[in-house]
Amino acid sequence: MIRYAVVGLGWISQKAFLPASTLTGNSVVTALVTGDTEKARKIAEQYGIDTVVPYENYDALLCSDLIDAVYIAVPNPMHASFAISALRHGKHVMVEKPIATSLADAEAMIRSAQQTGALLMTSYRLHHDIGTVEALKSIRSGAIGDPRFFSATFSFQSDPDNHRLRAEYWGGPLQDIGIYCINAARHVFAAEPIEVLAVISRDENDQRFREIYDSIAVTLRFPGNRLGQFYCSFAAHPLDVYRVVGTQGTISMEPGFRFEEPMAMEIESSADSKRIEFAHYDHFAGQIAYFSQCIVSGSRPIDDGEEGMADLRVLIAIERSVSTGLPVSLEPQVYRNGPSHASVRMIEPASLPPKVDVR
């Protein structure tokens, strides 16, 4: 069993990661790291976890033999410091996305993993679900010809207490849910974007958005005259869908990004039209089981630090476009292999939380 410490006990840790860890068969949570030890002890009792550690004692935990890996789910600006500390102590790290808030921090995280040999994985749960991988397989097989255009809409009404509404946490719909659209577009085209252009909107009468914009629309230009567009919002009716238009057909995925319901794919072309409803598996259990297997085998995860940094560089370029109102070019990057059946882990969910968060 790979022993994990969960760092940060927000919604995603409590309602998704912790329940999923009990389903994996190769992973167990043995410690909680938190700023609220009273709350943490109640959670620890529920899961039979013996060790509860305040943030200030994190390094002492890392020096112990109580854990092998950490799952980091604290606010975005804290990802790098917690991850680097763990990696320097030889502990493996799974960190929520975005991997960091600056390229310098992401590079430091990757460098720490390289220096110690500990594994660094960015938490892309969709890379381990059959629906995502089958969609990419269909595109690669030529089912819709040459993919030319990607579009996505990902929106919901944010809870006023969501910490992602705060600027100090690098909050906003782009970082929280837009990153899913960016990641999907990159893998659909098997390429890295070379230019971005973004427009935002903010309802000044909505008190939720005193610090951040509520919605953003983004255009991504890829090599080969391919385009991607997405809209994401914290202030719109819930919608979760993406579509790929090819030279000979289309593929639609709905839901495309969330985890509470199984994915369904529709393919329409001149040769065939079909709908595939995928079995429902626990995305979090799948990614935990996959990472633990990587730790045991010493294999680098497909969604490693470089994968997290690939999306981060696009996020930063989009933010620059927002601030200037102009297109922003990106340095050409070599695309690496994306998720495949080798990264899929099919573990049935025990139960499902209500639709509140999407990580």
Side-chain angles (χ1 to χ4, degrees):
M1 286 282 187
I2 299 300
R3 302 165 299 168
Y4 286 81
V6 172
V7 183
L9 292 177
W11 187 92
I12 203 65
S13 293
Q14 292 186 53
K15 301 301 182 181
F17 189 92
L18 282 166
S21 68
T22 67
L23 307 175
T24 62
N26 66 356
S27 313
V28 62
V29 175
T30 56
L32 303 177
V33 183
T34 178
D36 187 342
T37 54
E38 182 177 349
K39 179 181 76 172
R41 288 191 180 94
K42 295 177 182 177
I43 298 170
E45 183 177 354
Q46 179 183 353
Y47 288 96
I49 299 169
D50 293 330
T51 303
V52 174
V53 175
Y55 287 138
E56 55 266 29
N57 291 348
Y58 179 56
D59 279 351
L61 175 66
L62 296 175
C63 290
S64 75
D65 188 37
L66 297 174
I67 61 170
D68 306 299
V70 299
Y71 167 67
I72 297 173
V74 292
N76 296 332
M78 302 165 67
H79 286 182
S81 59
F82 278 99
I84 291 170
S85 292
L87 292 164
R88 286 177 175 171
H89 284 87
K91 306 299 184 185
H92 308 284
V93 171
M94 181 193 297
V95 60
E96 270 298 346
K97 55 201 170 298
I99 186 173
T101 57
S102 72
L103 292 177
D105 280 349
E107 289 167 351
M109 294 162 71
I110 293 168
R111 189 163 54 249
S112 293
Q114 293 170 339
Q115 289 171 347
T116 65
L119 299 182
L120 171 62
M121 173 172 158
T122 315
S123 182
Y124 288 104
R125 55 178 172 75
L126 285 166
H127 291 190
H128 310 287
D129 185 70
I130 189 66
T132 294
V133 170
E134 280 296 314
L136 294 176
K137 180 182 176 182
S138 296
I139 292 167
R140 303 286 186 270
S141 72
I144 60 170
D146 183 24
R148 308 298 297 173
F149 179 65
F150 168 92
S151 65
T153 302
F154 198 1
S155 58
F156 65 95
Q157 290 285 352
S158 180
D159 188 301
D161 296 326
N162 191 332
H163 76 267
R164 297 177 187 90
L165 298 174
R166 297 173 62 179
E168 67 178 296
Y169 292 148
W170 203 39
L174 174 66
Q175 295 85 345
D176 187 41
I177 53 180
I179 192 170
Y180 287 88
C181 306
I182 294 166
N183 192 263
R186 290 178 46 244
H187 292 303
V188 161
F189 293 131
E192 302 296 340
I194 56 176
E195 185 180 68
V196 303
L197 176 63
V199 178
I200 60 170
S201 64
R202 181 169 69 92
D203 183 352
E204 295 182 357
N205 296 317
D206 192 327
Q207 293 301 302
R208 293 177 298 175
F209 305 111
R210 289 171 295 180
E211 300 183 24
I212 64 166
Y213 52 81
D214 59 58
S215 305
I216 186 169
V218 178
T219 297
L220 307 170
R221 185 184 299 279
F222 288 84
N225 296 313
R226 300 175 178 186
L227 295 174
Q229 290 184 323
F230 66 87
Y231 169 82
C232 55
S233 176
F234 279 175
H237 182 75
L239 187 60
D240 168 16
V241 60
Y242 71 83
R243 174 173 289 182
V244 184
V245 181
T247 54
Q248 299 174 26
T250 65
I251 285 179
S252 299
M253 293 290 290
E254 187 173 3
F257 307 112
R258 301 198 71 110
F259 60 88
E260 297 92 344
E261 298 173 2
M263 289 181 167
M265 177 172 67
E266 293 188 1
I267 301 178
E268 296 183 8
S269 70
S270 56
D272 191 19
S273 293
K274 60 183 176 180
R275 175 181 173 86
I276 301 173
E277 296 185 356
F278 298 103
H280 196 190
Y281 298 110
D282 191 305
H283 295 186
F284 288 86
Q287 74 171 359
I288 298 167
Y290 170 79
F291 189 46
S292 291
Q293 186 173 341
C294 287
I295 292 171
V296 170
S297 64
S299 304
R300 185 173 179 172
I302 189 70
D303 29 16
D304 56 10
E306 280 81 358
E307 174 70 0
M309 191 162 68
D311 283 338
L312 179 61
R313 62 187 288 272
V314 182
L315 288 175
I316 291 172
I318 292 171
E319 290 265 285
R320 193 178 309 131
S321 178
V322 167
S323 66
T324 64
L326 299 171
V328 173
S329 297
L330 294 97
E331 289 290 330
Q333 300 286 322
V334 176
Y335 172 80
R336 305 183 313 147
N337 290 334
S340 68
H341 281 279
S343 62
V344 170
R345 297 293 181 274
M346 295 181 285
I347 301 173
E348 293 184 2
S351 61
L352 293 172
K355 288 186 178 181
V356 178
D357 205 317
V358 297
R359 292 290 185 91

